[in-house]
């Protein structure tokens, strides 16, 4: 079949499937995976049974059976789901995440599970038990993380669209490094029910797509109140595709000065500043704003998120599911299972999180972190009284080499410096491609908005994307 | 040296909801293992808790009954520790913002000298938390089995101040607490079914000292009596230890019912560090004062008030009224009896003596009594109007118990109506006097006890149906005439 | 900063080998050093953020239903006996 249907955007795929059914798309995507996955390693599992299921009647649902790929930390009933961690090998969830049900209800075919950093701990997709995922633009480079598999699959046309999760930038940073669109919705917009928790007060599921319009289509299907998630918002959800007006006139966009500091890759800075200039030309009102507590964000994140993670990961103890490394004594069951089941990064975070919550340290670390988190939130609240959107780089550098930061956890943590603040405040943020470094690696532009104002993000990101058309450039894989 | 014991109790009571605290699984008792479970209460990856509204309402209701300060704002926290019965490796509990703050509980008990004492025991707090699963060890050689049916069942942990001083007070506290919880219809408080559990913190100090001694936490008691006995044992153990020059160590000790003593768990308990932090998966809760008042309006009359009312309305003794009110079903039975026109004094006496004895013999609760409150009232009315004597009534009640017939019906069937017809009594009196000339002579010689014998003979002849008072009167009259 | 990796590993139920303990201990040490930058901020009158949303009072009604989830879960359990999950002998609570 020479149609190359895997190259379609979600919008195009939906239109195609509505006319001719999704089988051709499923077929081409499967072929594409077969040809590229050995080098990219984006998928950890593909569901062959779904290829020609034909259960979706063309045109009868929004997606008409168009496939969506899922990060391996979102539960799918009856499908092994492991968080790319040895401790959950063989774990088959007895239920599906709310977001999976919603996508299925919208007619999407849930198709394959995507590589990630173990338990979403990482910014490079190198800590997966399935081996590292690679960047389709340069296979020597990381795709970013933790949703590296999601970003790489979409960038390499191995998926029409994908979903990932973002705790400190895990959707946006890989989207930037792989040249795709990644959205972290407002905390509470998309149900977390069925997302295997990392940092419960930060985690959000969001789409990784080829275009901003695709992102809006995905969010339409994913967002909305879920009675199974206490932190799920009850606000009505608008049709986000209606926000794609190509018009940014009068939008007040702030450039936080703290995001344009030393240490940023000059190419990244150039493209982000160019993006601001372009938006200004298109009619936006660009200003400088200040978010004075930005520099503390990474520290806050690595105290609070790891504390939550240490507690969330206590349940992997060998009792009910996944790995049990020893049956000798109860103590051995706990210690052997956890020691063998978790990788080094997971252990680091579990230990750090356990420590910051332990007696005598709680106040100095965890509580202090939560207090500074308040200061970071207040920065945003104040800034959003002056502007409608914030514009910043998504990541300080383009994709780095495999292994480059693997031995220096702190350096790895700092690669999330621009994405973490949005998670601390729970606000929505999107990354869209805004150029390529001289080495040919994508650069991402990040836009952050007020809580539940995803429509404003889409409006600006879409206008910028349609003006620049970076999305049309594809990796030569 | 004389010592004083300082005792505080931690009571876990299951709240009477249909579904669990954070998921829709049933709280039913006695289902097949792991049947009442779902991803949430099994703590499966990705699952999230949502609070049961009724559980919070019931918690507030108990708080109000214990005169607690109900929080305006509350939150849940995670208590982290590893144990196979704890599916998430943390328990969702409340740490520093519990639903109920300080309150009090009045206890009433008889002291060693037998006089009634009333004391007020402080309640530190009463907070909501989820239960853990159940481990089974017996009969399994190579492991333990886990049943998570109880995991996630709503519990209210009621913590007392260290205000209790004696095992008798501990017992009275539990009885009083159970009474309130039964009135609220929050729990049946059956310890065997695990609906109520109690741990005791026990320490001793020289009399007169105000600072607290080192406490031991005593667990594993499965009845109120066991708690009383365990505390009694523990006080004695600590006194002996201190007198013997030992130091008390802070530890958890298990009560062994069969051996009648407490044992140290000897595990690394002190290594516990629960790492409490706010549960990010649940939002905070606010309770308006209007909501509190609305819940307060649903409170039934509580035992303390009912005791006072029964003393006033029925002229009962303080202690009788207290004993009745303490046990709601008993008090309900009593008041139904009085409402059916039984003499209040007689009704109390009959319930406490004859009826209780019959119920105890057959191990029946008052709610299972074969004699309804109306039927008991019927019997008491017959006594009051002189239809039957007390003696006959004591024979009628067991029969009512067996046959479930009314007292009237039994009296009628068996012709037990008391003889009050003076001519019949006089005829019988003549017969008895004629048959016992020696007793007649004795009486006339001044031996008053001979009269008792003669009355007894009349009762015997009449098979107890003779009104003893009338029989007496008529006999005396006849004996005196004959002088 | 008194980070005792052995004590914390015991709490977290991880039996690290000595090499791992040293490596992870060092990495955590540098993170704890990094987060000291927070000490310069005066947060005395700042309330902590445990939730970013303004949501409050999220309940479910007290209705029950059978889920039957354990039937889907038990087949994947590392060890089971009948309808029970099975673990190595628990001794300290007997």
């Amino acid at each position: 079949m020479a149609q190359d249907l895997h190259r379609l955007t979600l919008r195009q795929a939906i239109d195609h499937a509505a006319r001719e059914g999704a089988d051709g798309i499923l077929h081409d995507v499967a072929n594409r995976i077969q040809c590229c996955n050995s080098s990219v390693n984006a998928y950890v599992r593909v569901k062959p049974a779904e290829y020609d299921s034909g259960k979706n009647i063309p045109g009868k649902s929004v997606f008409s059976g168009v496939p969506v790929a899922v990060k391996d930390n979102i539960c799918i009933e009856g499908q092994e789901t492991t968080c790319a961690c040895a401790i959950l090998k063989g774990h088959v969830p007895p239920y599906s995440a709310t977001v999976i049900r919603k996508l299925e209800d919208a007619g999407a075919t849930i198709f394959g599970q995507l590589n990630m950093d173990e338990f979403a701990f990482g910014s490079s997709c190198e800590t997966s038990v399935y081996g590292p995922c690679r960047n389709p633009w340069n296979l020597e480079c990381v795709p970013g993380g933790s949703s590296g598999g999601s970003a790489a699959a979409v960038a390499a046309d191995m998926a029409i669209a994908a979903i990932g999760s973002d705790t400190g930038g895990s959707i946006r940073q890989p989207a930037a490094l792989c040249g795709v669109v990644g959205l972290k919705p407002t905390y509470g917009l998309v149900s977390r029910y069925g997302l295997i928790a990392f940092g419960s007060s930060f985690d959000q599921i969001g789409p990784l797509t080829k275009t901003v319009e695709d992102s809006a289509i995905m969010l339409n299907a994913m967002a909305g109140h879920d009675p199974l998630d206490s932190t799920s918002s009850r606000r009505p959800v608008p049709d986000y595709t209606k926000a794609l007006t190509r018009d940014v006139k009068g939008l007040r966009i702030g450039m936080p000065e703290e995001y344009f500091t030393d240490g940023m890759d000059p190419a990244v800075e150039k493209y982000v500043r160019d993006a601001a200039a372009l938006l200004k030309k298109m009619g936006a009102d660009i200003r400088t704003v200040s978010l004075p507590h930005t520099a503390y964000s990474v520290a806050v994140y690595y105290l609070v998120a790891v504390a939550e993670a240490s507690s969330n990961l206590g349940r992997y103890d060998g009792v009910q599911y996944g790995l049990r490394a020893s049956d000798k004594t109860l103590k051995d069951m706990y210690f052997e299972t956890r020691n063998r089941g978790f990788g080094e990064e997971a252990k680091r975070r579990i230990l750090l999180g356990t420590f910051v919550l332990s007696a005598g340290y709680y106040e100095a670390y965890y509580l202090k972190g939560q207090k500074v988190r308040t200061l970071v939130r207040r920065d945003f609240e104040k800034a959003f009284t002056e502007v409608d959107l914030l514009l910043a780089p998504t990541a300080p550098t383009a994709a780095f080499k495999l292994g480059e930061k693997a031995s220096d956890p702190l350096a790895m943590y700092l690669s999330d410096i621009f994405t973490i603040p949005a998670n601390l405040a729970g606000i929505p943020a999107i990354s869209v491609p805004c150029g390529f470094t001289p080495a040919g690696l994508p650069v991402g532009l990040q836009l952050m908005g007020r809580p539940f104002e995803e429509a404003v993000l889409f409006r600006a990101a879409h206008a910028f994307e349609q003006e620049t058309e970076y999305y049309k450039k594809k990796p030569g894989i | 040296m004389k010592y004083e014991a300082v005792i505080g109790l931690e009571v876990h009571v299951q709240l009477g909801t249909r579904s669990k605290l954070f998921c829709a699984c049933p709280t039913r008792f006695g289902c097949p293992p792991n049947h009442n479970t779902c991803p949430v209460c099994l703590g499966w990856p990705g699952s999230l808790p949502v609070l049961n509204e009724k559980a919070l309402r019931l918690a507030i209701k108990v708080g109000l009954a214990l005169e607690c300060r109900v929080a305006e704002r509350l939150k849940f926290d995670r208590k982290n520790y590893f144990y196979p019965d704890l599916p998430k490796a943390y328990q969702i509990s409340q740490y520093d913002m519990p639903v109920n703050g300080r309150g009090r509980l009045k206890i009433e008990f008889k002291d060693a000298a037998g006089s009634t004492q009333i004391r007020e025991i402080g309640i530190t707090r009463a907070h909501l938390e989820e239960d853990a699963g159940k481990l089974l060890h017996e009969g399994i050689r190579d492991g333990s089995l886990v049943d998570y049916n109880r995991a996630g069942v709503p519990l209210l942990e009621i913590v007392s101040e260290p205000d209790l001083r004696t095992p008798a007070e501990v017992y009275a506290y539990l009885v009083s607490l159970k009474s309130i919880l039964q009135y609220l219809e929050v729990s049946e408080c059956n310890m065997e079914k695990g609906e109520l559990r109690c741990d005791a913190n026990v320490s001793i100090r020289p009399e007169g000292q105000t600072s607290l001694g080192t406490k031991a936490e005593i667990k594993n008691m499965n009845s109120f009596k066991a708690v009383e006995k365990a505390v009694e044992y523990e006080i004695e153990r600590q006194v002996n230890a201190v007198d013997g020059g030992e130091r008390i160590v802070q530890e958890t000790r298990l009560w062994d019912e069969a051996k009648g003593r407490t044992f140290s768990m000897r595990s690394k308990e002190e290594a516990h560090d629960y790492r409490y932090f706010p549960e990010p998966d649940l939002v905070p809760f606010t309770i308006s004062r209007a909501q509190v008042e609305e819940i307060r309006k649903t409170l039934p009359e509580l035992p303390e008030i009912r005791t006072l009312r029964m003393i006033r309305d029925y002229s009962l003794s303080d202690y009788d009224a207290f004993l009745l009110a303490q046990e709601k079903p008993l008090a309900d039975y009593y008041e139904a009896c009085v409402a059916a026109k039984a003499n209040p004094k007689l009704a109390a006496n009959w319930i406490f003596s004859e009826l209780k004895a019959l119920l105890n013999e057959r191990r029946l609760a008052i709610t299972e009594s074969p004699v309804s409150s109306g039927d008991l009232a019927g019997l008491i009315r017959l006594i009051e109007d002189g239809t039957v004597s007390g003696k006959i009534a004591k024979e009628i009640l067991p029969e009512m118990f067996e046959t479930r017939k009314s007292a009237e019906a039994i009296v009628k069937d068996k012709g037990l109506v008391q003889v009050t017809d003076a001519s019949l009594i006089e005829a019988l009196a003549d017969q008895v006097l004629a048959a016992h000339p020696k007793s007649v002579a004795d009486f006339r010689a001044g031996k008053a006890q001979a009269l008792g014998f003669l009355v007894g003979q009349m009762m015997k002849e009449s098979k107890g149906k003779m009104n003893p008072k009338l029989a007496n009167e008529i006999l005396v009259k006849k004996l005196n005439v004959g002088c | 900063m008194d980070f005792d990796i052995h004590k914390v590993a015991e709490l977290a139920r991880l039996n690290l080998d000595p090499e791992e303990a040293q490596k992870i201990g060092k990495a955590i040490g540098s993170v704890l050093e990094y987060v000291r930058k927070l000490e310069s901020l005066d947060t005395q009158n700042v309330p902590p953020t445990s939730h970013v949303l303004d949501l409050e009072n999220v309940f479910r009604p007290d209705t029950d239903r059978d889920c039957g989830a354990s039937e889907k879960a038990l087949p994947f359990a590392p060890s089971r006996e009948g309808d029970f999950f099975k673990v190595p002998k628990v001794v300290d609570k007997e």
Side-chain angles (χ1 to χ4, degrees):
Chain A
M1 222 178 277
Q3 276 181 287
D4 285 350
L5 296 175
H6 56 278
R7 295 178 66 90
L8 300 181
T9 65
L10 178 60
R11 169 85 276 151
Q12 294 164 339
I14 286 172
D15 292 344
H16 175 94
R19 292 189 308 270
E20 299 174 36
D23 286 0
I25 299 167
L26 289 161
H27 178 270
D28 284 6
V29 170
N31 274 349
R32 179 70 176 167
I33 293 169
Q34 201 158 31
C35 113
C36 300
N37 202 47
S38 56
S39 50
V40 180
N41 199 27
Y43 281 86
V44 299
R45 243 164 275 117
V46 181
K47 237 164 71 179
E50 297 288 334
Y51 285 4
D52 50 8
S53 67
K55 70 176 177 183
N56 284 292
I57 304 149
K60 281 285 174 200
S61 65
V62 177
F63 280 67
S64 297
V66 168
V68 170
V70 178
K71 188 177 179 178
D72 195 29
N73 62 349
I74 298 168
C75 292
I76 305 174
E77 182 174 342
Q79 298 292 318
E80 189 184 11
T81 304
T82 69
C83 288
C85 182
I87 207 157
L88 273 176
K89 274 276 181 88
H91 171 57
V92 179
Y95 73 103
S96 282
T98 298
V99 74
I100 297 295
R101 287 169 180 270
K102 282 184 164 256
L103 283 166
E104 283 177 337
D105 288 348
T109 301
I110 301 303
F111 181 95
Q113 289 158 289
L114 297 159
N115 210 351
M116 57 185 283
D117 281 293
E118 168 185 35
F119 272 105
F121 297 154
S123 313
S124 66
C125 215
E126 290 169 288
T127 66
S128 165
V129 72
Y130 301 103
C133 175
R134 289 163 188 272
N135 193 315
W137 294 91
N138 179 343
L139 295 174
E140 301 293 298
C141 287
V142 302
S146 64
S147 311
S150 307
V154 172
D157 285 326
M158 293 159 71
I160 302 294
I163 58 175
S165 66
D166 192 317
T167 307
S170 280
I171 289 174
R172 290 158 290 155
Q173 186 258 18
L177 270 50
C178 290
V180 300
V181 176
L183 171 78
K184 181 203 92 74
T186 308
Y187 185 85
L189 182 63
V190 176
S191 168
R192 293 186 295 119
Y193 192 78
L195 168 65
I196 300 183
F198 157 13
S200 311
S201 74
F202 305 87
D203 296 342
Q204 265 293 284
I205 299 175
L208 291 100
T209 53
K210 296 175 184 178
T211 68
V212 175
E213 184 185 15
D214 289 359
S215 191
I217 294 168
M218 287 289 285
L219 191 62
N220 275 352
M222 296 161 71
H225 177 68
D226 179 8
L228 298 176
D229 176 359
S230 297
T231 62
S232 167
S233 168
R234 287 178 182 276
R235 284 165 179 258
V237 177
D239 177 355
Y240 293 106
T241 60
K242 294 226 168 86
L244 310 177
T245 59
R246 293 194 181 204
D247 172 22
V248 293
K249 274 193 203 72
L251 259 188
R252 296 171 302 165
I253 301 177
M255 293 174 71
E257 53 192 12
E258 293 79 5
Y259 284 62
F260 296 85
T261 51
D262 302 338
M264 205 196 309
D265 185 326
V268 170
E269 180 163 4
K270 176 189 178 301
Y271 284 112
V272 174
R273 288 195 184 278
D274 285 356
L278 178 63
L279 283 162
K280 187 172 182 178
K281 213 177 101 194
M282 293 167 70
D285 170 4
I286 307 286
R287 315 173 180 190
T288 300
V289 294
S290 174
L291 299 167
H293 296 94
T294 302
Y296 303 100
S297 299
V298 173
V300 170
Y301 179 75
Y302 278 94
L303 292 175
V304 179
V306 296
E308 292 177 358
S310 72
S311 173
N312 284 330
L313 271 61
R315 72 192 69 196
Y316 307 109
D317 55 10
V319 175
Q320 285 186 65
Y321 40 72
L323 179 74
R324 180 184 294 182
S326 169
D327 241 332
K328 238 165 67 197
T329 65
L330 192 69
K331 186 170 187 279
D332 284 350
M333 179 191 74
Y334 281 121
F335 283 82
E336 286 294 312
T337 300
R338 291 171 62 78
N339 206 51
R340 266 199 251 165
F342 289 126
E344 193 179 307
E345 182 61 27
K347 288 181 198 172
R348 260 200 298 270
R349 298 204 192 190
I350 290 169
L351 289 165
L352 180 58
T354 303
F355 175 67
V356 303
L357 289 174
S358 65
Y361 301 99
Y362 178 88
E363 266 151 47
Y365 290 110
Y366 176 81
L367 193 63
K368 181 81 182 183
Q370 291 288 50
K371 287 180 164 196
V372 179
R373 189 177 182 184
T374 303
L375 299 177
V376 173
R377 289 175 64 202
R378 286 179 182 168
D379 282 358
F380 280 110
E381 278 165 22
K382 185 167 170 288
F384 283 125
T385 63
E386 299 162 25
V387 295
D388 304 309
L389 284 178
L390 293 165
L391 179 152
T394 306
T397 66
F400 44 90
K401 292 263 160 60
L402 254 80
E404 192 181 314
K405 295 184 182 177
S407 58
D408 185 354
L410 194 55
M412 187 74 88
Y413 297 172
L414 288 169
S415 67
D416 292 334
I417 188 158
F418 298 143
T419 47
I420 281 172
N423 297 86
L424 294 184
I427 59 172
I430 195 168
S431 179
V432 279
C434 69
F436 291 85
T437 64
L441 291 168
V443 175
L445 168 73
Q446 181 178 214
L447 297 169
M448 294 172 268
R450 295 190 193 97
F452 301 102
E453 291 195 358
E454 277 76 2
V456 184
L457 288 183
F458 285 136
R459 180 181 153 202
H462 180 253
F464 175 79
E465 171 198 71
Q466 293 303 309
E467 196 68 22
T468 56
E469 300 197 322
Y470 288 115
Y471 71 95
K472 289 193 170 163
K473 193 169 169 186
K474 298 274 184 180
I477 186 166
Chain B
M1 201 188 291
K2 286 273 277 176
Y3 294 96
E4 173 186 61
V6 176
I7 308 147
L9 296 182
E10 288 170 18
V11 172
H12 285 89
V13 60
Q14 180 181 338
L15 297 173
T17 55
R18 293 184 65 85
S19 64
K20 292 185 179 181
L21 187 53
F22 298 116
C23 65
C25 288
T27 53
R28 274 197 303 272
F29 187 76
C31 288
N34 292 305
H35 184 267
N36 297 343
T37 57
C38 76
V40 178
C41 55
L42 288 175
W44 271 330
S47 67
L48 296 169
V50 184
L51 182 65
N52 183 334
E53 180 164 28
K54 186 172 180 200
L56 180 61
R57 285 182 70 87
L58 290 178
I60 294 170
K61 213 166 159 179
V62 176
L64 289 173
L66 296 174
E67 291 175 49
C68 290
R69 201 182 52 74
V70 176
E72 289 180 34
R73 196 171 164 76
L74 62 97
K75 68 175 171 77
F76 289 87
D77 301 274
R78 291 188 184 177
K79 179 183 182 179
N80 296 282
Y81 65 96
F82 289 91
Y83 210 70
D85 65 5
L86 192 66
K88 301 183 291 292
Y90 59 82
Q91 177 192 31
I92 305 179
S93 180
Q94 296 194 281
Y95 184 58
D96 56 350
M97 290 167 75
V99 50
N100 298 305
R102 269 204 79 111
R104 48 140 231 159
L105 177 65
K106 208 159 130 186
I107 63 169
E108 193 160 338
F109 57 99
K110 289 236 158 122
D111 63 13
S115 61
T116 303
Q117 300 287 333
I118 295 175
R119 281 197 64 203
E120 211 171 273
I121 305 301
I123 302 291
T124 313
R125 57 188 283 164
H127 68 259
L128 271 169
E129 64 184 28
E130 56 178 345
D131 203 354
K134 203 176 154 197
L135 288 169
L136 287 95
H137 315 283
E138 265 155 63
I140 303 124
R141 278 173 297 113
D142 57 341
S144 298
L145 304 182
V146 202
D147 173 6
Y148 292 108
N149 278 347
R150 284 200 66 83
V153 162
L155 301 178
L156 191 72
E157 179 174 342
I158 303 164
V159 183
S160 87
E161 289 287 292
D163 287 350
L164 297 156
R165 294 288 173 269
T166 66
E169 289 181 21
V170 166
Y171 187 80
Y173 175 92
L174 291 171
V175 168
S176 183
L177 185 60
K178 173 178 174 171
S179 165
I180 287 178
L181 295 168
Q182 281 186 337
Y183 271 81
L184 297 175
E185 290 172 349
V186 154
S187 168
E188 285 305 311
C189 302
N190 188 329
M191 280 187 91
E192 277 85 9
K193 277 190 191 167
E195 291 166 347
L196 186 143
R197 276 166 275 165
C198 176
D199 302 335
N201 290 311
V202 180
S203 65
I204 57 163
R205 62 185 174 194
E207 252 175 26
Q209 181 184 306
T210 48
S211 62
L212 294 171
T214 306
K215 68 178 180 187
E217 188 181 12
I218 318 297
K219 291 176 179 283
N220 200 37
M221 292 79 82
N222 65 2
S223 68
F224 288 1
K225 277 286 166 207
V227 178
E228 189 181 18
K229 280 192 285 177
V231 168
E232 190 167 9
Y233 172 86
E234 182 60 21
I235 294 169
E236 204 181 303
R237 183 192 72 83
Q238 292 189 13
V239 168
N240 290 338
V242 172
D243 280 347
E246 274 178 58
R247 258 186 65 229
I248 303 296
V249 287
Q250 182 158 352
E251 60 177 349
T252 301
R253 299 180 67 89
L254 298 185
W255 169 247
D256 185 325
E257 179 75 32
K259 297 199 174 81
R261 49 172 294 194
T262 63
F263 288 91
S264 172
M265 272 176 72
R266 272 175 291 120
S267 69
K268 292 174 287 177
E269 279 294 298
E270 46 285 322
H272 268 172
D273 180 346
Y274 291 124
R275 289 162 283 135
Y276 281 100
F277 75 102
E279 166 58 284
D281 289 331
L282 291 166
V283 296
F285 296 84
T286 51
I287 305 163
S288 73
R289 297 305 93 178
Q291 275 171 293
V292 171
E293 289 318 305
E294 183 219 316
I295 295 171
R296 196 190 301 278
K297 278 191 202 127
T298 68
L299 288 182
E301 181 188 41
L302 291 169
E304 203 180 320
I305 303 294
R306 193 175 198 178
T307 304
L308 295 175
R309 182 173 58 77
M310 292 205 297
I311 293 169
R312 191 190 65 215
D313 290 1
Y314 310 131
S315 309
L316 294 177
S317 75
D318 291 8
Y319 198 65
D320 278 357
F322 169 75
L323 284 182
L324 280 172
Q326 192 82 281
E327 232 179 296
K328 181 174 187 289
L330 193 64
D332 289 347
Y333 186 96
Y334 170 78
E335 293 213 75
C337 213
V338 173
K341 306 226 160 39
N343 173 301
K345 263 282 205 262
L346 276 178
N349 291 342
W350 275 81
I351 289 171
F352 279 130
S353 53
E354 303 306 315
L355 184 66
K356 273 261 185 173
L358 286 167
L359 290 170
N360 288 345
E361 210 172 276
R362 261 151 255 199
R363 294 172 185 279
L364 292 175
I366 185 73
T367 47
E368 301 163 320
S369 171
V371 177
S372 71
S373 53
D375 284 346
L376 183 65
L379 179 64
I380 292 168
R381 285 197 310 268
L382 291 181
I383 302 167
E384 248 198 308
D385 68 14
T387 308
V388 297
S389 65
K391 187 162 177 274
I392 292 288
K394 282 181 189 174
E395 285 166 27
I396 295 173
L397 188 64
E399 199 156 336
M400 293 168 71
F401 219 81
E402 287 305 328
T403 62
R404 291 175 183 262
K405 282 189 191 157
S406 71
E408 286 92 337
I410 293 170
V411 165
K412 209 173 146 203
D413 288 357
K414 302 213 158 179
L416 294 175
V417 177
Q418 184 164 262
V419 179
T420 49
D421 181 332
S423 62
L424 282 176
I425 296 173
E426 283 192 26
L428 190 61
D430 292 340
Q431 203 184 313
V432 167
L433 291 175
H436 301 283
K438 187 169 180 300
S439 296
V440 173
D442 283 352
F443 180 82
R444 289 184 175 147
K447 285 187 182 169
Q449 60 268 50
L451 177 63
F453 172 79
L454 292 168
V455 173
Q457 287 307 307
M458 282 185 72
M459 295 307 288
K460 197 176 159 194
E461 288 297 317
S462 70
K463 296 195 175 67
K465 287 187 285 182
M466 194 69 65
N467 182 317
K469 200 159 148 250
L470 280 177
N472 204 342
E473 280 170 22
I474 289 170
L475 271 175
V476 169
K477 199 171 76 193
K478 285 190 181 288
L479 285 164
N480 288 338
V481 163
C483 274
Chain C
M1 194 275 300
D2 333 288
F3 178 71
D4 176 349
I5 189 155
H6 300 290
K7 201 179 136 203
V8 178
E10 177 77 25
L11 266 180
R13 300 294 185 271
L14 290 166
N15 55 352
L16 310 172
D17 62 49
E19 198 186 321
E20 210 176 12
Q22 213 227 342
K23 197 175 163 200
I24 293 179
K26 204 174 142 230
I28 290 179
S30 68
V31 174
L32 289 172
E33 190 58 38
Y34 174 76
V35 302
R36 287 191 63 176
K37 70 195 303 184
L38 299 184
E39 289 170 16
S40 63
L41 291 172
D42 178 8
T43 52
Q44 220 185 340
N45 297 313
V46 180
T49 292
S50 29
H51 290 89
V52 291
L53 290 167
D54 297 332
L55 273 177
E56 273 181 0
N57 303 338
V58 177
F59 293 106
R60 38 169 286 272
D62 182 32
T63 48
D64 61 325
R65 60 174 170 76
D66 280 322
C67 169
S70 64
E71 283 137 49
K72 294 180 194 166
L74 278 161
F76 296 100
S79 177
R80 69 183 280 195
E81 192 166 309
D83 290 337
F84 291 99
F85 292 96
K86 189 171 180 185
V87 294
K89 195 93 179 156
V90 178
V91 278
D92 68 350
K93 253 196 183 174
E94 275 167 12

